[in-house]
């Protein structure tokens, strides 16, 4: 287009010059040159005019094309823009790297759980009498009573665990407890049509389990979300998790409504369909928790750190490495596997730590320096009891556990003599305390460098209802 315009302009110029020459004849060349416009004054404006016209045309075409592609791009980006409404502000820079996997698995788990809830609700309605065509007053009262009893059970559960820090110490395990309790309660509701005469008992028991599930999930949620928030945006992370749960619930409800006619109302068929949904619920919940990296310390996580450190007195596992090794399925054999119950009792009272002997209590105090904020006791069977003073902080708890591990290593080499337990205990405490003074500072600095949090609120090693000493 540009060449065509320039040629046409040049042809017009030369035709004009030719006519001028013919009119003037073969006159003096000086006169012709005086008449002929210079290239700067004639050709350049024409070329600029032609180029301007062409450029405007092409820019108009380009602008139209750009506007069209921009409109198309905006249309194609609408789904991703919609997703951002369910993600924390500043994502992904405002959250930890494992947030996306946690949220994706939790979203899928919530869909499966909501779909299973539709099946259980259908079974409950049939059990209470809706399938017969009407719901008598007694059935309506049973429905209200089972809700009230369920809520009361949840209150008692929360009261029982209210004095402990179990939810903060092990949020992953309690989140799994929540998931398992929910599915067990849902299954119980699905089987309720088999015993319609015991509807109140079955439905109330299931509702107690559901309330325990709700409370466990709520109590453990804060610690999990705190580990995902990177920019002091815990509230935003929690709010967006709620939005994601609502969306997943809507999708799960639609899924449950869709498969309900296919399954029917026979309890065995409904239970079979529920098992498939329950597997997806539990599996996705487990994977979501597996992706979470906790920087706080409980007995199991500290066990992994100390176990690796005692191999060469150099290696300190990072929170991410410990997350891969951590086992949080709520079963008794997990604690036994890692020696959490039979190795050392943490947060013991004065009776256990003194063994009802003032002299023994004084001996154990003298084995340590006056600055220490813990007391360690070792009985004749090698069982350890660890107590902390009121002023103990997070680092003191880790130091006390480190001392217990040092003593445990000595016991494996030279078990205490049951006939002279006091002498053996004193010797082991003193010798292991030498290792504490030599190696704990290195461990302390290495743990901080690895990313572990050692402040008081982040270290939860004591039993459910710990007892602190005032000496």
């Amino acid at each position: 287009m540009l060449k065509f315009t320039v040629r046409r302009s040049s042809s017009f110029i030369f035709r004009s010059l030719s006519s001028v020459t013919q009119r003037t004849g073969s006159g003096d060349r000086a006169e012709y040159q005086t008449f002929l416009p210079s290239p700067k004054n004639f050709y350049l404006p024409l070329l600029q005019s032609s180029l301007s016209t062409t450029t405007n045309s092409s820019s108009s075409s380009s602008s139209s094309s750009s506007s069209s592609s921009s409109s198309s791009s905006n249309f194609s980006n609408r789904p991703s823009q919609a997703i951002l409404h369910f993600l924390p502000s500043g994502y992904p820079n405002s959250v930890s790297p494992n947030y996306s996997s946690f949220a994706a698995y939790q979203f899928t788990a919530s869909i499966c759980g909501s779909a299973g809830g539709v099946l259980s609700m259908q079974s409950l309605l049939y059990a209470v009498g809706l399938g017969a065509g009407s719901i008598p007053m007694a059935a309506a009262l049973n429905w209200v009573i089972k809700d009230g009893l369920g809520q009361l059970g949840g209150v008692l559960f929360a009261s029982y665990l209210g004095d402990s820090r179990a939810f903060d110490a092990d949020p992953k395990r309690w989140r799994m407890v929540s998931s398992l309790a929910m599915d067990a309660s849902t299954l119980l509701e699905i089987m309720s049509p088999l015993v319609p005469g015991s509807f109140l008992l079955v439905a109330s028991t299931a509702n107690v389990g559901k309330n325990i599930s709700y409370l466990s999930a709520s109590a453990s949620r804060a610690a999990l979300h705190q580990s995902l928030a990177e920019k002091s945006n815990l509230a935003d992370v929690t709010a967006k998790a709620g939005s994601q749960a609502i969306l997943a619930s809507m999708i799960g409800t639609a899924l449950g409504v869709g498969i309900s006619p296919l399954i029917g109302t026979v309890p065995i068929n409904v239970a079979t369909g529920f098992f498939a949904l329950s597997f997806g619920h539990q599996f996705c919940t487990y994977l979501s928790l597996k992706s979470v990296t906790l920087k706080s310390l409980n007995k199991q996580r500290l066990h992994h750190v100390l176990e690796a450190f005692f191999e060469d007195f150099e290696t300190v596992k990072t929170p991410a490495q410990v997350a891969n090794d951590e086992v949080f399925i709520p079963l008794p054999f997990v604690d036994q596997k890692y020696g959490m119950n039979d190795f050392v009792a943490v947060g013991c009272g004065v009776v256990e730590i003194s063994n009802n002997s003032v002299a023994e209590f004084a001996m154990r105090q003298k084995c340590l320096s006056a600055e220490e904020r813990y007391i360690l006791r070792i009985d004749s069977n090698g069982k350890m009891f660890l107590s902390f003073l009121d002023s103990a902080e997070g680092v003191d708890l880790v130091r006390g556990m480190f001392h217990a591990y040092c003593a445990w290593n000595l016991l494996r080499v030279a078990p205490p003599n049951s006939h002279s337990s006091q002498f053996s205990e004193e010797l082991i405490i003193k010798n292991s305390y030498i290792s504490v003074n030599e190696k704990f500072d290195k461990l302390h600095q290495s743990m901080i460098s690895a990313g572990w949090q050692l402040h008081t609120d982040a270290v939860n090693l004591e039993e459910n209802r710990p007892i602190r000493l005032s000496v």
Side-chain angles (χ1 to χ4, degrees):
M1 186 71 178
L2 177 61
K3 291 182 179 179
F4 173 78
T5 306
V6 173
R7 261 199 310 271
R8 188 175 180 185
S9 300
S10 301
S11 175
F12 169 76
I13 293 167
F14 286 121
R15 280 201 306 271
S16 301
L17 288 176
S18 175
S19 63
V20 169
T21 304
Q22 289 174 359
R23 278 197 296 271
T24 56
S26 56
D28 205 325
R29 185 171 181 80
E31 294 178 2
Y32 171 76
Q33 289 180 344
T34 302
F35 175 81
L36 180 67
S38 67
K40 181 177 180 182
N41 295 331
F42 187 78
Y43 288 102
L44 189 57
L46 279 173
L47 287 172
Q48 287 176 339
S49 174
S50 300
L51 287 172
S52 174
T53 303
T54 306
T55 303
N56 289 340
S57 171
S58 90
S59 97
S60 170
S61 167
S62 165
S63 172
S64 171
S65 169
S66 171
S67 173
S68 172
S69 67
S70 174
S71 172
S72 172
S73 174
N74 288 339
F75 180 78
S76 64
N77 285 337
R78 281 177 187 172
S80 60
Q81 292 295 326
I83 291 174
L84 289 178
H85 291 290
F86 294 91
L87 297 173
S89 177
Y91 174 86
N93 298 324
S94 62
V95 292
S96 63
N98 52 6
Y99 175 84
S100 56
S101 58
F102 170 81
Y105 285 125
Q106 276 293 115
F107 188 79
T108 308
S110 297
I111 291 176
C112 295
S114 297
V118 173
L119 301 182
S120 70
M121 179 61 69
Q122 169 188 283
S123 298
L124 279 177
L125 291 174
Y126 271 93
V128 80
L130 182 61
S134 64
I135 301 181
M137 182 59 69
L141 289 176
N142 283 342
W143 190 276
V144 174
I145 292 172
K146 65 101 177 171
D147 287 342
L149 292 175
Q151 292 171 357
L152 177 61
V155 170
L156 294 176
F157 172 77
S159 175
Y160 175 74
L161 291 177
D163 295 336
S164 70
R165 300 182 65 183
F167 295 113
D168 295 320
D170 213 347
K172 290 186 179 183
R173 176 174 296 196
W174 282 104
R175 186 62 186 83
M176 281 301 302
V177 167
S178 170
S179 182
L180 291 170
M182 176 60 71
D183 280 2
S185 302
T186 303
L187 179 61
L188 196 58
E189 290 178 342
I190 289 174
M191 304 308 292
S192 62
L194 296 177
V195 284
S198 303
F199 171 81
L200 182 59
L201 175 62
V202 174
S204 297
T205 304
N207 225 21
V208 169
K210 283 191 171 183
N211 277 276
I212 289 175
S213 173
Y214 296 146
L215 289 169
S216 299
S218 300
S220 59
R221 186 179 297 124
L224 295 174
H225 289 172
Q226 183 65 61
S227 70
L228 299 171
E230 291 284 325
K231 303 293 183 181
S232 300
N233 57 338
L234 175 59
D236 189 26
V237 170
T238 302
K240 295 306 166 54
S243 300
Q244 295 165 16
I246 292 172
L247 179 61
S249 177
M250 294 170 62
I251 297 173
T253 300
L255 176 62
V257 170
I259 65 176
S260 179
L262 303 176
I263 294 176
T265 59
V266 179
I268 300 301
N269 294 341
V270 178
T272 303
F274 169 73
F275 280 130
L277 294 171
S278 178
F279 175 79
H281 182 207
Q282 299 301 326
F283 184 66
C284 290
T285 299
Y286 176 82
L287 291 179
S288 70
L289 296 174
K290 194 73 174 176
S291 65
V292 174
T293 299
L294 296 174
K295 298 179 181 179
S296 59
L297 288 167
N298 64 1
K299 290 178 71 174
Q300 185 185 164
R301 288 191 285 276
L302 183 58
H303 170 80
H304 287 298
V305 173
L306 295 180
E307 187 179 45
F309 183 76
F310 273 93
E311 290 180 358
D312 55 8
F313 293 104
E314 294 285 343
T315 304
V316 172
K317 287 186 174 182
T318 64
Q321 292 173 325
V322 171
N324 291 329
D325 299 333
E326 189 176 6
V327 180
F328 47 84
I329 298 176
L331 295 173
F333 71 83
V334 174
D335 289 337
Q336 295 173 4
K337 177 181 178 181
Y338 293 105
M340 293 294 101
N341 287 332
D342 55 6
F343 166 44
V344 55
V346 185
C348 302
V350 66
V351 175
E352 293 173 301
I353 204 68
S354 66
N355 197 24
N356 291 320
S357 171
V358 176
E360 289 187 15
F361 184 83
M363 176 273 295
R364 295 180 186 106
Q365 276 190 296
K366 291 179 181 179
C367 290
L368 311 176
S369 67
E371 292 79 16
E372 299 295 352
R373 300 176 183 178
Y374 68 89
I375 299 175
L376 178 65
R377 174 199 165 200
I378 307 172
D379 67 10
S380 58
N381 297 318
K383 174 74 176 181
M384 298 187 188
F385 303 87
L386 187 61
S387 292
F388 295 95
L389 305 185
D390 280 336
S391 57
E393 299 178 351
V395 176
D396 299 310
L397 270 65
V398 176
R399 186 178 176 91
M401 283 295 287
F402 181 71
H403 190 175
Y405 270 75
C406 290
W408 184 52
N409 282 329
L410 287 180
L411 284 173
R412 290 192 296 179
V413 176
N417 186 342
S418 60
H419 297 291
S420 56
S421 58
Q422 181 174 334
F423 174 80
S424 299
E425 178 189 9
E426 183 177 3
L427 185 62
I428 290 172
I429 292 176
K430 285 184 176 180
N431 288 342
S432 57
Y433 188 59
I434 294 174
S435 299
V436 173
N437 289 328
E438 291 176 351
K439 298 179 173 66
F440 180 75
D441 287 342
K442 181 178 182 179
L443 171 67
H444 182 204
Q445 294 301 322
S446 298
M447 289 182 70
I448 293 176
S449 300
W452 291 105
Q453 297 176 350
L454 299 181
H455 56 82
T456 303
D457 292 336
V459 182
N460 299 285
L461 307 179
E462 296 162 286
E463 306 296 341
N464 290 338
R465 286 178 171 78
I467 300 175
R468 293 291 182 95
L469 305 179
S470 297
V471 180

